[in-house]
Amino acid sequence: MPVAYLDHAATTPPRPEAVDAMLPWYTERFGNASGVHSLSRRARAAVDEAREVVAQALGARPGEIVFTSGGTEADSLAIAGVYDRTGGPVLCSAVEHHAVLHACTARGGRVVGVDSNGVIDLDELADALDPAVALVSVMLANNEVGTVQPLDDIASIVRERAPKALLHTDAVQAFPWLDVAAAAACADLVAVSAHKFGGPQGVGALVVREGVDLAPQVLGGGQERDRRSGTYNVAGIVGMAAAAAATVASRSDTVTRVAQLRDRLADGVLAAGVGGRETGDRARKIAGNCHLRFDGVESEALLLLLDDAGICASAGSACASGALDPSHVLVAMGLSRAEALSSVRLSLGWPTTDDDVDLALKAVPDAVRRLREP
Ligand code: PLP
């Protein structure tokens, strides 16, 4: 049976470049990168090389990269690290991934609202800021609806109203689609995760700009210049760098191609006569996001029928799927509980093809019709 993988926002298939780069570090080159002998030194050299590649892709210096176990840890290190050094206050937008939202609210952080497209309310942000604020966290692109935030405008407001505050951005979903080096140049802390751009799961990075002081959250052997201890995930780091390089090299072509596929998919489903509606302004989204809702159709039931038809999709963030609570992102955007629970996210990625879109163009309306049958 043909399968269309349309869940790239949850995780992407590994790029062949990443798999090839990783294999030797799982086999004959297994040394611990912190040791003295030649196997270790070789592993260390690979980590250093990968650090340069990742730094370049993110517009940072190699010494500003802290490798982590993924996006969640990178976000957590940014927020907890600043909070523990300064005592806060911290604040974030209402549409952040739970990795940011929970890290902020657990520290008494204030949550700033968004408009119906999921764009942060800049007036509310300005009102929430004062010179005591220590950290502001606003994502570059949203994981559920794909909305890109006006980060430069946000940075200007933060610099004016809270000059001591650090700006953190979760660029986990943005990296496959946006030139994060440029788009996040205004941020002091930038989080990315390898498995969202063809690298392995369980590895990520936080850009910590020079001069930014963070309290380490994982203590131990002092790796990553004492900012994050733990034996290096050499294979993961090498795979992340290979995936980052491949992503950057092909990004503009991928964005053009995938945006066309996404438009064909969204427009086709909306025109299929099954009452579909699109969430958020497409012009403000990353290229791979197609977020639709169908009144009266339960998203969990729709996902199961789509799965039977060979479509892998999701109803919001993968981390929250399985829960029956409506997505906090959709609720923050003003959708009703019923609307939020009738949503489906079809997320495209670098390997998505016309065949995938053709399959979905048939399967999605068919599944919605079936669920509407009396
Ligand atoms: N931030 C965003 C925007 C995400 O979409 C995700 C994963 O879905 C994360 C953070 C967490 O990243 P990881 O899965 O690497 O922990």
Side-chain angles (χ1 to χ4, degrees), residues 169-212:
T169 192
D170 174 335
V172 166
Q173 293 290 338
F175 189 82
W177 312 109
L178 304 180
D179 176 3
V180 171
C186 57
D188 304 291
L189 297 152
V190 184
V192 290
S193 174
H195 74 106
K196 307 293 187 180
F197 54 86
Q201 297 172 354
V203 57
L206 181 68
V207 174
V208 182
R209 302 259 186 239
E210 212 165 288
V212 170

Side-chain angles (χ1 to χ4, degrees), residues 96-254:
E96 297 300 310
H97 187 275
H98 283 135
V100 167
L101 195 62
H102 290 169
C104 270
T105 53
R107 292 168 178 83
R110 179 162 171 183
V111 176
V112 178
V114 297
D115 68 14
S116 59
N117 287 314
V119 177
I120 191 167
D121 182 330
L122 293 177
D123 293 331
E124 191 182 328
L125 173 67
D127 286 346
L129 291 170
D130 64 57
V133 171
L135 177 116
V136 175
S137 182
V138 181
M139 69 205 319
L140 196 48
N142 184 265
N143 45 302
E144 292 191 39
V145 295
T147 300
V148 177
Q149 298 288 348
L151 204 63
D152 285 329
D153 297 342
I154 291 164
S156 303
I157 294 171
V158 172
R159 303 296 178 228
E160 192 191 315
R161 298 276 184 137
K164 280 194 265 174
L166 295 170
L167 178 61
H168 166 248
T169 192
D170 174 335
V172 166
Q173 293 290 338
F175 189 82
W177 312 109
L178 304 180
D179 176 3
V180 171
C186 57
D188 304 291
L189 297 152
V190 184
V192 290
S193 174
H195 74 106
K196 307 293 187 180
F197 54 86
Q201 297 172 354
V203 57
L206 181 68
V207 174
V208 182
R209 302 259 186 239
E210 212 165 288
V212 170
D213 187 23
L214 289 182
Q217 301 298 306
V218 184
L219 303 174
Q223 287 89 347
E224 296 299 81
R225 289 175 32 195
D226 270 339
R227 293 168 296 186
R228 195 274 188 185
S229 290
T231 298
Y232 284 101
N233 174 2
V234 180
I237 289 168
V238 167
M240 178 178 186
T247 300
V248 171
S250 56
R251 189 155 46 200
S252 66
D253 290 348
T254 303

